[in-house]
Amino acid sequence: MKKIGILVIVLISAVNSYGQEKKTMKEFDSNFAHTVYFWLKNPESKEDKASFVASLQKFLNASKYAKTNFIGYPPKASREVVDGSFTFSLIVTFESAEAQQKYQEEDVHLKFIEESSHLWTKVIVFDSVPVQ
């Protein structure tokens, strides 16, 4: 019983130490969602994938306009309607369409394109605003 108590204390401490605090979390902004799918030229290349993700993360961390972001890759498709042909996905939220336009023109965004465009063969973008 004593070991379980110690384990619980250790787990709570770990969650409190490593979990995001509310003040550092960015909340999803539903005013404008920017969803991007990337198909890399060499999707099996660990080096290309690592280079792409590092460049993308560097850019997103430096962006003045991106509120929240999510970088993902396709899981094993469980249904026929799931398109898992892309290599990476990116979802970014903005407070407005104007902020998203400024993001497109940001130096850090243009630098990301310069650094990484040689890695992909195809990019598709879906932008969305909320239903009113």
Side-chain angles (χ1 to χ4, degrees), residues 5-42:
I6 292 171
L7 179 60
V8 169
I9 291 170
V10 169
L11 288 173
I12 290 171
S13 296
V15 169
N16 288 337
S17 298
Y18 296 104
Q20 273 190 311
E21 295 179 17
K22 184 70 174 169
K23 65 182 178 186
T24 61
M25 287 176 62
K26 293 183 178 182
E27 294 195 23
F28 183 86
D29 192 320
S30 63
N31 288 309
F32 196 102
H34 177 69
T35 307
V36 187
Y37 293 91
F38 297 90
W39 284 260
L40 296 190
K41 289 178 184 175
N42 302 303

Side-chain angles (χ1 to χ4, degrees), residues 35-44 49 52 70-77 81-91 120-124 126:
T35 307
V36 187
Y37 293 91
F38 297 90
W39 284 260
L40 296 190
K41 289 178 184 175
N42 302 303
E44 302 303 319
K49 288 161 94 173
F52 176 82
F70 169 84
I71 302 169
Y73 60 91
K76 297 270 188 219
V81 296
V82 176
D83 181 347
S85 64
F86 61 95
T87 313
F88 289 104
S89 65
L90 170 66
I91 303 170
W120 64 67
T121 60
K122 178 179 171 181
V123 177
I124 294 182
F126 296 95

Side-chain angles (χ1 to χ4, degrees), residues 32-36 59 63-66 90 92 94 96-113 123 125-127:
F32 196 102
H34 177 69
T35 307
V36 187
F59 151 52
S63 176
K64 297 175 193 168
Y65 303 101
L90 170 66
V92 183
F94 301 92
S96 66
E98 294 77 23
Q100 193 274 343
Q101 184 57 45
K102 289 177 182 177
Y103 157 96
Q104 291 298 326
E105 299 164 356
E106 262 186 306
D107 287 341
V108 292
H109 183 248
L110 300 175
K111 180 70 173 172
F112 161 70
I113 294 169
V123 177
V125 177
F126 296 95
D127 288 336

